[in-house]
Amino acid sequence: MSTVSVVRSDDHDPVESMSTITGQEPDFKSPLAWRSFVNEPSVLQFLEERVQQEPLFKQLLLGYIEHSKKDKKWRTAASNAITILVRAGVQFIDADLQGIQIPGADISYGMFDSVQLQGADLRHVDLRGAWMRRANLSRVQMTDVQFGELPLLKQKHRVESCAYSPDGKTIAAGLCNGKIAVYSTLDWKHLWTLISSSDALSMAYSPNNDQIASGSVDGTVRLWNILTGACIHLLKGHVKDVHSVAYSPQGHHVASASNDKTVKVWDVETGECCYFGIGHTNEVYEVVYSPRGGQIASNSYDKTVRLWNIDTETCHVLRGHNNRVLSIAYSRDGDQLASASEDMTVRLWNVATGECQRIFTGHINAVSFVMYSPNGDQVASCSSDCSVRLWDIERGVCLHTLNGHIGSVQRVAYSPRGDLIASASNDKTVRLWDVETGICRQTLTGHSDGVYSVAFSPKGDHVASGSEDCTVRLWDIGTGTSRHNSNGHGSSVWNVESSPKGDQIATCGGEKTARLWDVETGTCFRTLRGHDDWVHRVVYSPRGDQIATCSSDKTVRLWNAETGECTHILIGHIHTVRNITYSPDGDTLVSTGHDDTVRIWDVESGECRHMLTGHIYGINRIVYSPRGNLIASASDDKSARLWDVTSGHCRAVIQG
């Protein structure tokens, strides 16, 4: 006799124990056993109705799942069965599903909390929206599964904001130390760290994806080239902090708002200031362009919103709030503006006349952020009262009050389709809500401190969140749990590197070892031991046959990727080695350390070919040119240097 443990139905009560499922094989001639119906909605709908009407049919499906544990021939049947059962509302909380084989199944939004899935075959399974808290996923096959949290982008400083580029190919994180870290969303590689002379308070992508604008404490605005990481223009004019920057819809201009009570508009090509808005009597907190581009809106601590017409150089002053205005947003067509204030209200304004059309009341504390839904029929607001509210613009009523957070809600974001809304809170969580029903679909946990920003990817398949815990977390619109629970490190994991073939992952952190993991199973199959202090970085050679590590013990070690044997110890640095990179052909390795030097090593002999000196402060990034004949290094001494690999000579010094 075989058993399926604690299976639950719609009313959350356990269904009758399936201990009566016999070991006798079901009929393999049934189409359910050999033909996949996972992608046939009409058939699935009919079959899920059978589950609800015929208990014996439910037993048959559970039997398919049970038999798949022992015999691969029941994989198709089991995939069909679990897809149908999940659609019918059957819950698998605490179930023993060890070893089940359900490749290609659709169990999205199913309930699998505390499920035992050790050794299961979940390849190509759709797990989006499934609840799998405390699920045991050890040794699970999960190739191409749509599931869980994407890579964690660890930073050294608090993450103030995060944003996807319009094309979704990069993501930028604004840090409290003034740096902006830019990553590729293709492989989550770190591309650039954009460094200004003082803390960067704001940032924005250009519409055509090639620039980032940042505003700083020193009153400057910087325009950065995304492809090179170079600063194109340094825009000077403000005399106090620049709190907000925004590109015009066409990308030809950048607007900035400052604590000096002014708004400025800059020409992106020339860097010249082409408009100067004076009128606010207190700090200007935010500036946004209208969708048509001819108007700018700004909100201020002086309790007003101002609409600036760039062409006519006229200004509308919107008065009505009786406390500081914290957020503004244009409607999709630009005819209306929403504003949120510390006076606990949201106001909707007619842009043409300046008339206040609606006042939304209901929040019981300051309203920190407001935004329109993608189709423009709703406004969402979030507040220090721990709630999110969705407002119907036409009827002027509150559609839903989204309660669940236990800390101030800092930001909200609509999904591109407008069916979901994400909220970020000081309670360390991100919540995903169904816009139509107001029900919380999912709580994303993992941050260890307050979450300040949240953003959907342009395709709507991912959510990014930035936190005071110095991390950016990337989530599939799915379970919110990690793909593998890869335990092994005894401290924080600082670096994750994929092998060229993609079958392995190497990691290192606040300890003296590096670890190699099997991507398919999530298990650690080798630990690289030998360093006498923390290992800061681990990288694969381009061919994947060698691994390099660098450490606070002042050395670099080269390892045979197949055997784990240490083949060379590279000695020469007189301080911590923080970064290493292989040349494109894999013949040389470059390393940088706290001794302010760059060293080029021959990986076959282990000899140091060149020691490159010139930087006078920490070197935080180093890269080879695509052809491998040049090396570029970037330093906290505000300079970048180009080095000739063959001669070791410095070809150029670029001052930032």
Side-chain angles (χ1 to χ4, degrees):
M1 306 288 284
S2 56
T3 304
V4 176
S5 307
V6 194
V7 182
R8 299 179 184 266
S9 59
D10 276 335
D11 58 4
H12 303 283
D13 294 325
V15 301
E16 184 179 349
S17 171
M18 298 308 299
S19 59
T20 56
I21 298 175
T22 66
Q24 182 178 355
E25 286 192 352
D27 183 6
F28 193 72
K29 295 180 181 180
S30 168
L32 282 174
W34 51 266
R35 175 182 169 186
S36 175
F37 293 98
V38 172
N39 296 314
E40 299 189 32
S42 59
V43 176
L44 292 176
Q45 183 176 355
F46 169 74
L47 294 173
E48 71 177 83
E49 291 173 358
R50 282 194 62 191
V51 170
Q52 296 161 355
Q53 297 166 2
E54 303 176 26
L56 289 178
F57 182 59
K58 180 190 291 186
Q59 287 189 353
L60 173 67
L61 297 181
L62 290 169
Y64 283 144
I65 297 171
E66 191 69 16
H67 282 292
S68 76
K69 296 179 179 180
K70 301 176 182 178
D71 193 336
K72 292 182 179 181
K73 81 174 184 179
W74 296 106
R75 286 188 298 190
T76 300
S79 299
N80 285 328
I82 201 164
T83 299
I84 296 164
L85 290 168
V86 168
R87 285 176 61 100
V90 176
Q91 300 184 5
F92 290 83
I93 298 173
D94 294 320
D96 181 4
L97 300 180
Q98 297 183 58
I100 65 167
Q101 301 183 59
I102 55 169
D106 181 356
I107 57 175
S108 55
Y109 302 102
M111 299 296 291
F112 293 87
D113 287 352
S114 302
V115 71
Q116 302 298 308
L117 279 167
Q118 299 95 309
D121 183 355
L122 302 186
R123 290 174 296 172
H124 305 281
V125 171
D126 187 347
L127 285 169
R128 290 175 298 177
W131 289 75
M132 303 190 75
R133 293 171 297 187
R134 299 179 299 279
N136 191 328
L137 301 173
S138 61
R139 306 187 314 280
V140 174
Q141 298 181 59
M142 303 184 74
T143 303
D144 293 330
V145 72
Q146 298 183 57
F147 176 67
E149 184 187 348
L150 292 172
L152 173 75
L153 309 179
K154 182 70 176 176
Q155 309 298 323
K156 294 182 180 179
H157 298 274
R158 186 175 69 245
V159 180
E160 299 282 9
S161 61
C162 59
Y164 281 95
S165 61
D167 62 5
K169 293 182 178 179
T170 63
I171 188 171
L175 312 180
C176 68
N177 68 338
K179 297 180 180 180
I180 298 174
V182 183
Y183 295 85
S184 166
T185 58
L186 179 63
D187 53 12
W188 306 109
K189 294 286 188 182
H190 178 255
L191 299 177
W192 304 105
T193 297
L194 312 179
I195 305 173
S196 62
S197 57
S198 63
D199 290 3
L201 300 176
S202 54
M203 67 173 183
Y205 273 95
S206 65
N208 56 3
N209 306 288
D210 61 345
Q211 286 186 12
I212 287 178
S214 63
S216 299
V217 170
D218 63 4
T220 64
V221 176
R222 288 175 184 251
L223 305 184
W224 307 87
N225 185 305
I226 291 295
L227 298 179
T228 66
C231 180
I232 305 167
H233 288 297
L234 176 61
L235 312 180
K236 297 182 178 180
H238 289 294
V239 295
K240 288 189 177 180
D241 304 3
V242 178
H243 269 295
S244 179
V245 289
Y247 278 91
S248 63
Q250 296 77 27
H252 301 320
H253 297 96
V254 167
S256 56
S258 170
N259 280 3
D260 64 9
K261 310 175 189 177
T262 68
V263 172
K264 291 177 180 286
V265 179
W266 312 83
D267 186 290
V268 168
E269 186 173 349
T270 66
E272 295 179 356
C273 179
C274 53
Y275 184 81
F276 188 26
I278 302 176
H280 282 296
T281 60
N282 207 326
E283 299 175 9
V284 187
Y285 191 68
E286 186 179 14
V287 61
V288 295
Y289 267 93
S290 69
R292 299 189 184 101
Q295 189 182 76
I296 293 171
S298 60
N299 58 290
S300 169
Y301 287 177
D302 65 8
K303 309 176 188 177
T304 70
V305 176
R306 287 180 176 256
L307 306 181
W308 311 86
N309 190 303
I310 305 301
D311 297 328
T312 63
E313 298 189 0
T314 56
C315 178
H316 257 324
V317 183
L318 311 182
R319 304 182 189 276
H321 286 294
N322 57 35
N323 209 328
R324 300 191 298 182
V325 183
L326 301 180
S327 178
I328 51 176
Y330 275 99
S331 63
R332 184 175 62 172
D333 58 13
D335 293 337
Q336 193 178 73
L337 185 88
S339 59
S341 169
E342 284 189 344
D343 66 9
M344 301 183 285
T345 70
V346 174
R347 289 177 178 251
L348 303 185
W349 309 85
N350 184 300
V351 167
T353 65
E355 174 192 2
C356 180
Q357 297 174 312
R358 295 199 183 279
I359 304 174
F360 294 140
T361 60
H363 285 294
I364 57 174
N365 210 325
V367 186
S368 54
F369 189 76
V370 64
M371 76 176 301
Y372 281 86
S373 63
N375 63 7
D377 62 344
Q378 286 183 13
V379 165
S381 59
C382 61
S383 168
S384 298
D385 65 9
C386 309
S387 76
V388 177
R389 286 179 177 255
L390 306 183
W391 310 89
D392 185 287
I393 292 173
E394 185 175 348
R395 292 184 292 152
V397 297
C398 180
L399 297 171
H400 298 293
T401 301
L402 312 181
N403 292 314
H405 285 294
I406 57 174
S408 174
V409 184
Q410 302 291 327
R411 283 289 184 274
V412 291
Y414 277 98
S415 64
R417 292 190 301 174
D419 58 333
L420 292 175
I421 195 165
S423 56
S425 170
N426 278 353
D427 66 8
K428 309 175 188 178
T429 70
V430 174
R431 286 179 176 252
L432 299 180
W433 310 83
D434 187 290
V435 169
E436 184 176 353
T437 65
I439 294 173
C440 180
R441 284 192 183 178
Q442 196 172 356
T443 301
L444 307 179
T445 59
H447 284 295
S448 59
D449 214 325
V451 187
Y452 288 109
S453 59
V454 64
F456 277 91
S457 64
K459 292 182 180 178
D461 53 348
H462 299 142
V463 168
S465 56
S467 167
E468 193 169 2
D469 66 7
C470 307
T471 68
V472 175
R473 287 183 178 261
L474 306 169
W475 316 84
D476 260 339
I477 303 302
T479 63
T481 57
S482 297
R483 169 174 171 173
H484 291 300
N485 183 17
S486 301
N487 295 318
H489 283 288
S491 188
S492 303
V493 179
W494 294 341
N495 179 222
V496 179
E497 185 81 10
S498 178
S499 66
K501 293 181 181 178
D503 57 338
Q504 297 178 14
I505 287 176
T507 61
C508 63
E511 53 189 11
K512 303 174 184 179
T513 64
R515 292 176 183 265
L516 307 183
W517 307 84
D518 185 283
V519 169
E520 185 75 19
T521 65
T523 57
C524 176
F525 65 88
R526 185 164 291 117
T527 301
L528 307 180
R529 306 179 188 276
H531 284 292
D532 297 326
D533 209 331
W534 288 354
V535 179
H536 292 281
R537 186 159 173 76
V538 55
V539 295
Y540 282 90
S541 66
R543 292 186 293 271
D545 58 339
Q546 191 178 76
I547 294 170
T549 56
C550 61
S551 167
S552 290
D553 67 7
K554 311 173 189 176
T555 70
V556 175
R557 287 179 177 250
L558 304 182
W559 312 80
N560 183 299
E562 185 175 350
T563 65
E565 176 190 1
C566 180
T567 57
H568 290 294
I569 302 176
L570 312 183
I571 299 174
H573 285 287
I574 59 174
H575 213 301
T576 296
V577 186
R578 293 302 300 268
N579 208 343
I580 47 178
T581 303
Y582 276 96
S583 62
D585 60 11
D587 293 340
T588 60
L589 181 87
V590 64
S591 61
T592 63
H594 282 183
D595 58 8
D596 306 332
T597 68
V598 177
R599 292 173 186 258
I600 302 175
W601 308 86
D602 185 296
V603 298
E604 186 174 350
S605 66
E607 295 180 357
C608 181
R609 290 186 180 179
H610 297 290
M611 181 176 72
L612 315 179
T613 60
H615 286 296
I616 58 173
Y617 206 58
I619 303 167
N620 51 51
R621 181 156 174 79
I622 187 161
V623 294
Y624 273 92
S625 64
R627 289 187 294 175
N629 60 326
L630 294 175
I631 292 172
S633 58
S635 167
D636 285 340
D637 64 11
K638 303 179 184 178
S639 74
R641 289 175 177 259
L642 297 180
W643 311 87
D644 186 289
V645 171
T646 304
S647 67
H649 294 154
C650 180
R651 285 195 179 181
V653 179
I654 305 167
Q655 296 292 338

